[in-house]
Amino acid sequence: MAALTWTKLRSFHRYFGHSTLLKACFQYSQKHEHFCILSKCNDGFIQPVNVFYKRRSTVRYDGFSLESRNYTSALRKRQLVLGIETSCDDTGASVVDDQGAVLGEALNTQQKIHLMHGGIIPPVACRLHAENIEEVVDTCLKRSGISLEEIDAIATTVKPGLPLSLAVGTEYGKQLALNARKPFIPIHHMEAHALTVRMVEQIEFPFLVLLVSGGHSLLVLAHSVDRWSIIGQTVDDAPGEALDKGARRLKLRNIPECSSMSGGQAIEHLAKEGNPRAYDFPTPHVLSGGVACNNYIRSALQKLCEATGYQLLCPPPRLCTDNGIMIAWNGMERWKAQSGVIYDEEAIKNINIQAKCPIGVDLTEDVRSLGIKIQKWVKFR
Ligand code: KG4
Ligand code: ZN
């Protein structure tokens, strides 16, 4: 691979402008057998994303613009992003490509240890992330069968989450990016949850997403990879937190088969044997989405969507609880859009974690002021 790096391309672009750069790229590709750059010229901004490895004879040169449309995907070098997650109690890493294929994944969950303590103790979570992160990332790369050199960018969760936990992944990811001279993509954990669906389903923006996890319960409108609006959120604990607290009170971890399950998993597991009519709840409750794994919730939402003419799409449960795949995919979404990709070394060094950070503009008051009435109650049972 020729030694024309991103950083070099960016600075070329800054100094020489667009057309000179394209011309230089073309000349460069003439001299280097296996290398050429095809640029999509959006708004005059070079997107050195489209790096193609191919035989020189197929290069087209059209004035100062190199045309990429006619190349088949087989000729295109696939883009690869490494994702790192440490926002809570899971140390995760994954490599995904631009088509949503997972090349490799590694995940170390601290669940069992935190269950023993009756909840997450932040310094303990931090120590476990620090002890495991290197092995998780190395294992993920090994399973992917690719070297760090082949990765296009490194994405890491930097917000929101437990500060001590976030700091481990963020510092590790930044250092990795700086050492390997790769661009860094800071990731918002909840955006990553919300975008996972686009890895497995062909769904275009905008879409409505219900995010139900251990710390959040949000109804969000996804306009694009970098624009989100909150249209509703919980006024109390997030459902996952409520399930975890309930499971703790009931000491479910003492039941052997539940000993390594999260509260939500344990309750779902035991509820399968329960009697849903044992108590008479006055109104039908639809609880909605780490919690989106829940089959009861999924089927309730399915019913609701069927009755109201909406299509319900759920990522597979494995992708709903925290993992490195969703971070790598969010990184890939941003990489493809060239939004929030940080190339500059100083800028990478200056990235900080944020314990709290809303996913987008909060429109909940506006929605409330509309006084929307529920027009149709759907009976679940
Ligand atoms: O997304 P996640 O791994 O972490 C956060 O970002 O919060 O979600 C973890 C939460 C925990 O509260 C756990 O009890 C809940 O998801 N959970 C479930 C299920 N599996 C995990 N809740 C209900 N049913 C499940 N099957
Ligand atoms: Zn999460």
Side-chain angles (χ1 to χ4, degrees):
M1 162 77 191
L4 190 55
T5 62
W6 292 104
T7 327
K8 270 190 202 156
L9 271 176
R10 301 270 305 178
S11 52
F12 277 154
H13 185 235
R14 217 167 291 137
Y15 291 116
F16 301 116
H18 195 56
S19 13
T20 316
L21 175 63
L22 283 173
K23 196 172 168 188
C25 285
F26 178 72
Q27 285 167 352
Y28 194 91
S29 71
Q30 297 274 292
K31 287 194 206 122
H32 296 79
E33 269 280 307
H34 303 294
F35 181 85
C36 88
I37 292 197
L38 301 176
S39 162
K40 234 198 250 163
C41 324
N42 290 345
D43 311 326
F45 178 75
I46 182 148
Q47 294 204 325
V49 184
N50 304 311
V51 182
F52 291 67
Y53 294 92
K54 46 190 280 313
R55 253 176 274 119
R56 208 173 27 167
S57 58
T58 52
V59 174
R60 299 242 181 100
Y61 183 51
D62 161 25
F64 279 159
S65 93
L66 297 173
E67 183 56 70
S68 66
R69 266 191 305 248
N70 296 335
Y71 291 97
T72 63
S73 57
L75 289 173
R76 225 189 70 218
K77 175 197 172 286
R78 67 177 165 174
Q79 309 290 303
L80 300 170
V81 170
L82 166 68
I84 300 173
E85 157 66 31
T86 65
S87 70
C88 188
D89 58 349
D90 294 296
T91 320
S94 177
V95 175
V96 303
D97 76 4
D98 47 345
Q99 302 299 308
V102 179
L103 275 75
E105 190 208 1
L107 186 69
N108 178 73
T109 168
Q110 310 170 353
Q111 200 158 280
K112 218 166 176 172
I113 293 156
H114 297 312
L115 278 173
M116 267 161 28
H117 289 123
I120 299 174
I121 300 171
V124 173
C126 172
R127 177 175 55 78
L128 293 169
H129 283 305
E131 282 172 10
N132 291 301
I133 189 154
E134 187 156 10
E135 195 185 331
V136 165
V137 172
D138 287 350
T139 308
C140 153
L141 286 171
K142 220 172 276 161
R143 288 181 181 157
S144 309
I146 52 157
S147 64
L148 196 55
E149 189 45 43
E150 293 168 88
I151 298 281
D152 292 285
I154 296 171
T156 307
T157 310
V158 306
K159 62 193 174 184
L162 300 173
L164 293 174
S165 292
L166 284 169
V168 177
T170 302
E171 286 316 310
Y172 192 87
K174 279 163 60 173
Q175 212 46 57
L176 207 60
L178 291 169
N179 293 345
R181 298 184 163 277
K182 300 288 176 188
F184 183 78
I185 310 175
I187 299 295
H188 188 294
H189 183 83
M190 299 312 289
E191 286 181 16
H193 272 304
L195 288 173
T196 310
V197 70
R198 277 168 51 91
M199 226 179 140
V200 287
E201 305 272 357
Q202 269 217 313
I203 161 168
E204 301 298 328
F205 291 108
F207 59 90
L208 191 63
V209 56
L210 183 63
L211 294 168
V212 199
S213 71
H216 295 88
S217 181
L218 297 165
L219 190 58
V220 170
L221 197 55
H223 304 278
S224 67
V225 280
D226 49 15
R227 203 160 75 80
W228 306 80
S229 309
I230 304 171
I231 59 175
Q233 58 188 318
T234 180
V235 289
D236 208 321
D237 280 357
E241 196 171 340
L243 291 168
D244 291 342
K245 283 181 180 166
R248 216 174 301 147
R249 280 277 184 95
L250 294 165
K251 297 197 170 32
L252 296 188
R253 75 175 178 90
N254 293 340
I255 300 171
E257 70 215 66
C258 299
S259 66
S260 60
M261 290 182 184
S262 67
Q265 272 174 314
I267 289 173
E268 178 173 33
H269 175 75
L270 296 168
K272 283 183 193 141
E273 309 296 317
N275 172 10
R277 295 175 204 278
Y279 296 96
D280 192 20
F281 292 110
T283 46
H285 276 66
V286 176
L287 180 68
S288 9
V291 182
C293 300
N294 192 290
N295 283 312
Y296 184 84
I297 295 170
R298 282 180 181 226
S299 49
L301 282 173
Q302 182 61 43
K303 272 241 156 104
L304 182 70
C305 286
E306 274 164 19
T308 49
Y310 284 87
Q311 188 191 5
L312 178 70
L313 297 168
C314 298
R318 185 178 83 81
L319 294 180
C320 285
T321 45
D322 290 353
N323 62 79
I325 300 175
M326 66 183 202
I327 306 306
W329 175 248
N330 193 347
M332 182 53 81
E333 291 260 28
R334 285 190 167 273
W335 178 248
K336 289 201 272 193
Q338 281 294 297
S339 168
V341 181
I342 306 193
Y343 292 85
D344 182 74
E345 284 192 10
E346 280 311 305
I348 295 177
K349 284 182 198 157
N350 288 334
I351 291 165
N352 285 318
I353 59 137
Q354 273 174 271
K356 289 203 162 70
C357 177
I359 188 172
V361 189
D362 187 352
L363 301 179
T364 46
E365 280 308 320
D366 299 4
V367 174
R368 191 172 296 131
S369 68
L370 291 173
I372 299 167
K373 295 266 181 302
I374 294 171
Q375 302 198 334
K376 190 171 181 178
W377 285 97
V378 181
K379 215 171 168 69
F380 181 43
R381 289 191 178 274

